[in-house]
Amino acid sequence: MDAARNDARAGASSNAGSALNQSIMQLLEHVDYRLITGGEDLEAIYRLRYQSYLQSGMCGPIASGMFEDRWDNLPNSYRFGVYFDGHLVSTLRLHYISREHPHSPSVDAYPEILAERLARGETFIDGTRFATDPDSAPAPGVLPFLTLRLGMVAASYFGLTAVLTPVKIEHSAYYARIFHAVQRTEGKVFPGVLAPIALFEIPCGENLRQTLERFPFFKSTAVEQRMMFANPAINRLTPLSIVPTAKYYRDAA
């Protein structure tokens, strides 16, 4: 993630930010997001998780060679694969959590932070099981941008209080610089992984608006948002391939 943090610093300055925006916009022409529920695509993202986590020390050996958990099949779960020119390069899982759907990894890990807020009617996207294949990256440091764009699309669709992102402390600078994420907890044992994890929160509202203005490749049309999130992923029988729509904002500018 060192390259990602370097790109984060570049994105924080106006001159480099323009170059970053242009670069990511061009790469999005080769990207599609797949909302995955089963079959070989699901096994592929579980294998990618495992390979990434084993290499980084996030998990130990697993005989199946796949990393899955009890939250994968919840009705508020959305599992995505990110494909570049048809090849799987990263994956991210999102849970939409609310008073009606209060279950996700972060709720279980940090009930003292989230339970009362959910009861008050606040809503969140919980982004977990982020994994990448650096050897397949089209350029150094770009996979976090291409992958975490999913959280920004979700935030635009659901109208949230915040996006939650449990991360290693050493990666916190990236989230603070790009998303103005706020650390809510100290590092602690997180379900399913070995490394200490802290909960960070990306406020929506005005902060989301500013993030989309700084990084327009995070923008999305209503059509893209509905394709990703209008129906729970668990109810789909086949993977749904979704093309990024940020370019339509660029072309209209």
Side-chain angles (χ1 to χ4, degrees):
M1 298 292 290
D2 288 338
R5 289 196 292 271
N6 290 338
D7 275 343
R9 296 187 185 96
S13 67
S14 58
N15 292 336
S18 176
L20 175 65
N21 285 328
Q22 293 175 12
S23 174
I24 300 298
M25 282 290 197
Q26 292 172 357
L27 291 173
L28 283 176
E29 296 286 344
H30 301 266
V31 168
D32 67 280
Y33 298 106
R34 295 184 193 174
L35 182 58
I36 295 171
T37 59
E40 294 181 357
D41 286 315
L42 188 57
E43 292 182 358
I45 67 170
Y46 288 166
R47 284 193 297 270
L48 177 55
R49 280 185 196 171
Y50 174 65
Q51 292 162 3
S52 175
Y53 288 6
L54 183 65
Q55 185 176 14
S56 64
M58 294 279 283
C59 76
I62 300 174
S64 66
M66 294 187 287
F67 188 107
E68 55 184 309
D69 61 39
R70 66 182 184 271
W71 298 282
D72 275 313
N73 291 311
L74 291 178
N76 60 332
S77 170
Y78 301 82
R79 293 164 295 191
F80 288 96
V82 180
Y83 292 77
F84 191 89
D85 286 341
H87 300 288
L88 178 65
V89 295
S90 64
T91 181
L92 182 68
R93 183 183 64 197
L94 302 174
H95 287 86
Y96 171 63
I97 50 178
S98 64
R99 187 160 42 200
E100 294 72 27
H101 299 282
H103 301 295
S104 80
S106 289
V107 175
D108 285 357
Y110 312 106
E112 72 281 7
I113 301 294
L114 298 172
E116 183 177 342
R117 296 176 67 182
L118 288 169
R120 290 200 304 262
E122 296 187 44
T123 58
F124 306 90
I125 281 290
D126 188 12
T128 56
R129 301 312 184 227
F130 174 33
T132 67
D133 178 8
D135 293 336
S136 298
V142 301
L143 289 183
F145 292 106
L146 300 178
T147 310
L148 297 174
R149 181 178 178 272
L150 288 161
M152 297 297 96
V153 179
S156 298
Y157 176 74
F158 285 108
L160 307 164
T161 302
V163 176
L164 306 175
T165 178
V167 298
K168 292 181 178 180
I169 295 295
E170 58 263 36
H171 296 163
S172 61
Y174 174 83
Y175 291 89
R177 289 178 182 274
I178 297 301
F179 302 107
H180 295 156
V182 179
Q183 184 174 347
R184 295 303 187 196
T185 70
E186 299 300 318
K188 60 181 286 187
V189 175
F190 191 82
V193 297
L194 300 177
I197 299 294
L199 181 65
F200 285 76
E201 179 178 332
I202 301 169
C204 292
E206 179 62 15
N207 181 63
L208 176 62
R209 187 195 69 77
Q210 292 178 0
T211 300
L212 297 180
E213 288 302 314
R214 290 169 61 218
F215 304 109
F217 52 80
F218 286 142
K219 292 182 179 181
S220 56
T221 65
V223 171
E224 182 183 2
Q225 295 165 21
R226 287 195 299 269
M227 289 181 71
M228 285 188 180
F229 300 109
N231 295 296
I234 201 66
N235 291 335
R236 294 191 179 276
L237 298 178
T238 58
L240 175 66
S241 185
I242 304 157
V243 176
T245 57
K247 67 179 181 180
Y248 296 113
Y249 289 93
R250 178 194 61 191
D251 294 343

